[in-house]
Amino acid sequence: MPRFSIGRRLSRRWTLLVAVVVVALASFAVYRLHGIFVSQDVTSTPSGSENDIVPFNPKYVFMEVFGPPGTVATITYLDVNAQPQRVDAATLPWAYDTTTTQPASSSMSPPRATATRSAVESRLTTRSRTRDR
């Protein structure tokens, strides 16, 4: 009858045994930490309140393009939704005024305008901060 030795089998498979013990201890630690730091209470917001958006920091945006009165220009600009807009054959002076709470308006650039035979300038003002082009 062959001898069965626990010591010899453990000496061959000790790394597997250590890995199983480490995984078990780590799983138990994560379980305990979830019990301490994660709330088990499931709360819900009252219906309809998630749709109520309260303007918290409105941005006032004023764009203007100016040049000799009566000059016709093509104007391109980004609106408050950061979508490109184009105005063809606009007579100067031209202005665009709006208020928004969207974050895209913080990176707005002054409008671009091109006119034939006339020099035009553009200006973007947000909360008394002016950017000229």
Side-chain angles (χ1 to χ4, degrees), residues 1 7 36 40 55 65 76 81 83 90 104 113:
M1 174 168 173
I36 294 170
Q40 301 298 330
V65 177
T76 56
N81 297 319
Q83 296 298 314

Side-chain angles (χ1 to χ4, degrees), residues 46-96:
S47 64
S49 68
E50 69 273 359
N51 294 330
D52 297 338
I53 299 174
V54 178
F56 57 92
N57 190 11
K59 295 173 184 72
Y60 306 100
V61 179
F62 181 70
M63 293 184 213
E64 59 184 324
V65 177
F66 48 92
T71 303
V72 176
T74 300
I75 302 166
T76 56
Y77 64 96
L78 292 177
D79 65 6
V80 294
N81 297 319
Q83 296 298 314
Q85 301 294 325
R86 180 180 171 140
V87 179
D88 291 321
T91 57
L92 300 184
W94 175 87
Y96 174 75

Side-chain angles (χ1 to χ4, degrees), residues 33-48:
L33 288 174
H34 273 285
I36 294 170
F37 293 112
V38 177
S39 173
Q40 301 298 330
D41 297 332
V42 178
T43 59
S44 63
T45 58
S47 64

